[in-house]
Amino acid sequence: MAKKDYYEVLGVNRDASDEEIKKAYRKLAMKHHPDRNPENPKAEEHFKEAKEAYETLSDAQKRAAYDQHGHAAFEGGMGGSPFGAGAQGFDFSDIFGDIFGSGRGGARSSVQRGADLRYNLEITLEQAARGTETKIRIPTMEECETCHGSGAKPGTSPTTCTTCGGHGQVRMQQGFFSIQQTCPRCHGTGKMITSPCSTCNGNGRVKQHKTLSVKIPPGVDNEDRIRLSGEGEHGVNGGPPGDLYVVIQTKPHPVFQRDHNDLHCEMPISFTTAALGGSIEIPTLDGVATIKIPAETQSGKIFRLRGKGIKGVRSSSHGDLHCHVAVETPVNLTERQKELLREFESINQKDSERHNPRARSFMNKVKDFFAG
């Protein structure tokens, strides 16, 4: 039976690039490999067919001969079979190396960037609004001064790992695949420490504390992050240090609640002030402000003071202060106060619809509800 065209087998055009040919073969090899298709006798046939096509088209000289003479290029005196001596050195890691690692001879670098650190900084609302500068003390892993980060006892040096030969990785054969993984003995460093440093126990780093100054810009909010570049943990084997992220946490305020750039507060007023009107003083972040309370003000009414909020880090203007009125019911009344209130209620009941329109409206809605 005549052989299929190699380009047709791989499903690529005749002008396909080496990478396209490699990609097509990898897909077919994964699909038809006998280990993955034990109950399909045709799978091995398709696998060998794809392998033969790839071995020919992936070799520049063989591909040129095939393009000129077809399958005849490898019959009789035209050349050797693709399954001859040249195929015995075929390494599947060339195809699958980019899935499981760096391929042949690729050792992972033991130089590593230091870890980033997080520090939760609690500040007051006033500090968040105006900005401040504070000092923090953080734990960190610093390079050991005794061994200068080598992990070896002074006067000695780390030796090459005998398991991986200093590459930091070893190749494991698992069935069809050759998998490259971190060396279990040296953990990827490629080095062994026979005489560890007594100060750091061979780690090359020791736990220390350092004090840093942090500038808090005006307007920061909860969960805002301030990055201190290079103030994280030191790198491994000469790697760059990580960064320190200072995360803002605002303490609860006794008066104000923050909503982005706006502030909210509850403003208790007396029964008489709500009924007759008057003026009250309320605190703001800039001092004291006066609010005029109109007569017949109801509980829940909101007064807005423009520009008395916070100017956010990314804002061009200040937010507002929202004052929520809460009419306070008097407590601990004297007998005279109770007497006056009873007299007031008696007079009020003579024309309750006029004096208590909201109560009258509510009762009408209740009647309609039960009537319906």
Side-chain angles (χ1 to χ4, degrees):
M1 188 175 80
K3 288 185 177 181
K4 291 184 180 179
D5 181 81
Y6 286 153
Y7 292 101
E8 182 181 339
V9 170
L10 297 180
V12 297
N13 296 326
R14 302 191 73 84
D15 58 352
S17 65
D18 292 341
E19 184 61 29
E20 289 174 329
I21 291 174
K22 179 179 179 181
K23 185 177 180 180
Y25 170 65
R26 181 173 58 191
K27 182 178 180 180
L28 291 172
M30 294 287 287
K31 179 180 179 181
H32 297 299
H33 192 274
D35 290 347
R36 302 185 66 180
N37 301 272
E39 298 180 0
N40 184 2
K42 291 187 177 181
E44 183 174 3
E45 179 182 341
H46 291 314
F47 176 77
K48 290 181 177 180
E49 194 173 51
K51 179 175 180 287
E52 179 181 343
Y54 175 73
E55 289 181 333
T56 299
L57 300 183
S58 63
D59 185 294
Q61 292 183 347
K62 291 181 179 179
R63 182 177 180 180
Y66 178 77
D67 288 343
Q68 186 174 0
H69 303 287
H71 292 296
F74 309 105
E75 297 174 358
M78 297 295 295
S81 168
F83 291 97
Q88 295 176 1
F90 185 74
D91 188 354
F92 284 101
S93 65
D94 290 340
I95 301 299
F96 300 105
D98 54 345
I99 300 177
F100 297 103
S102 58
R104 285 182 294 181
R108 188 180 67 178
S109 173
S110 59
V111 176
Q112 299 178 30
R113 179 180 180 273
D116 291 335
L117 300 178
R118 171 182 172 134
Y119 184 93
N120 293 331
L121 178 62
E122 205 173 43
I123 61 176
T124 65
L125 180 64
E126 291 82 357
Q127 290 174 324
R130 302 187 181 108
T132 186
E133 185 171 354
T134 186
K135 293 186 182 298
I136 60 175
R137 189 167 183 263
I138 63 169
T140 181
M141 298 298 292
E142 301 285 346
E143 183 181 277
C144 177
E145 295 181 357
T146 303
C147 65
H148 303 289
S150 70
K153 181 179 179 180
T156 67
S157 299
T159 59
T160 301
C161 176
T162 55
T163 300
C164 65
H167 294 292
Q169 295 185 332
V170 292
R171 190 174 295 279
M172 305 292 291
Q173 191 72 31
Q174 294 187 2
F176 170 63
F177 299 110
S178 179
I179 302 176
Q180 189 168 274
Q181 63 184 27
T182 302
C183 176
R185 184 167 188 177
C186 68
H187 305 292
T189 64
K191 301 290 184 180
M192 294 192 311
I193 300 174
T194 54
S195 300
C197 171
S198 59
T199 303
C200 64
N201 295 321
N203 293 319
R205 298 187 297 172
V206 293
K207 186 176 182 179
Q208 294 182 354
H209 286 81
K210 62 181 178 182
T211 302
L212 300 172
S213 180
V214 183
K215 290 184 178 181
I216 311 298
V220 295
D221 204 349
N222 267 327
E223 298 301 321
D224 280 352
R225 302 192 309 171
I226 300 171
R227 186 179 74 169
L228 301 182
S229 181
E231 295 295 349
E233 287 191 357
H234 268 272
V236 177
N237 294 327
D243 298 329
L244 171 65
Y245 290 91
V246 179
V247 182
I248 299 299
Q249 305 288 340
T250 306
K251 298 177 183 178
H253 196 274
V255 176
F256 303 113
Q257 296 83 45
R258 182 174 179 178
D259 180 19
H260 299 294
N261 295 338
D262 290 340
L263 294 175
H264 295 260
C265 72
E266 185 178 79
M267 184 172 60
I269 63 174
S270 68
F271 167 75
T272 53
T273 301
L276 303 177
S279 297
I280 63 170
E281 290 185 340
I282 63 168
T284 72
L285 292 179
D286 300 322
V288 177
T290 301
I291 292 181
K292 290 184 177 181
I293 306 298
E296 302 177 2
T297 293
Q298 302 297 315
S299 188
K301 182 175 176 59
I302 301 175
F303 292 86
R304 182 172 67 173
L305 279 69
R306 294 184 181 276
K308 292 299 181 180
I310 293 175
K311 183 179 180 182
V313 174
R314 303 169 188 84
S315 302
S316 58
S317 60
H318 285 73
D320 301 328
L321 171 59
H322 301 266
C323 300
H324 301 252
V325 169
V327 178
E328 186 174 21
T329 301
V331 298
N332 300 320
L333 299 177
T334 66
E335 286 302 319
R336 177 58 179 159
Q337 288 172 320
K338 292 178 182 178
E339 181 183 346
L340 291 172
L341 285 175
R342 292 189 187 102
E343 182 180 350
F344 171 80
E345 181 63 15
S346 177
I347 297 172
N348 188 62
Q349 286 297 325
K350 294 179 180 179
D351 196 0
S352 62
E353 186 173 346
R354 176 186 175 189
H355 301 305
N356 303 97
R358 294 177 64 183
R360 181 67 179 176
S361 175
F362 174 76
M363 291 308 299
N364 288 336
K365 290 177 182 178
V366 171
K367 291 179 181 179
D368 292 343
F369 173 75
F370 285 108

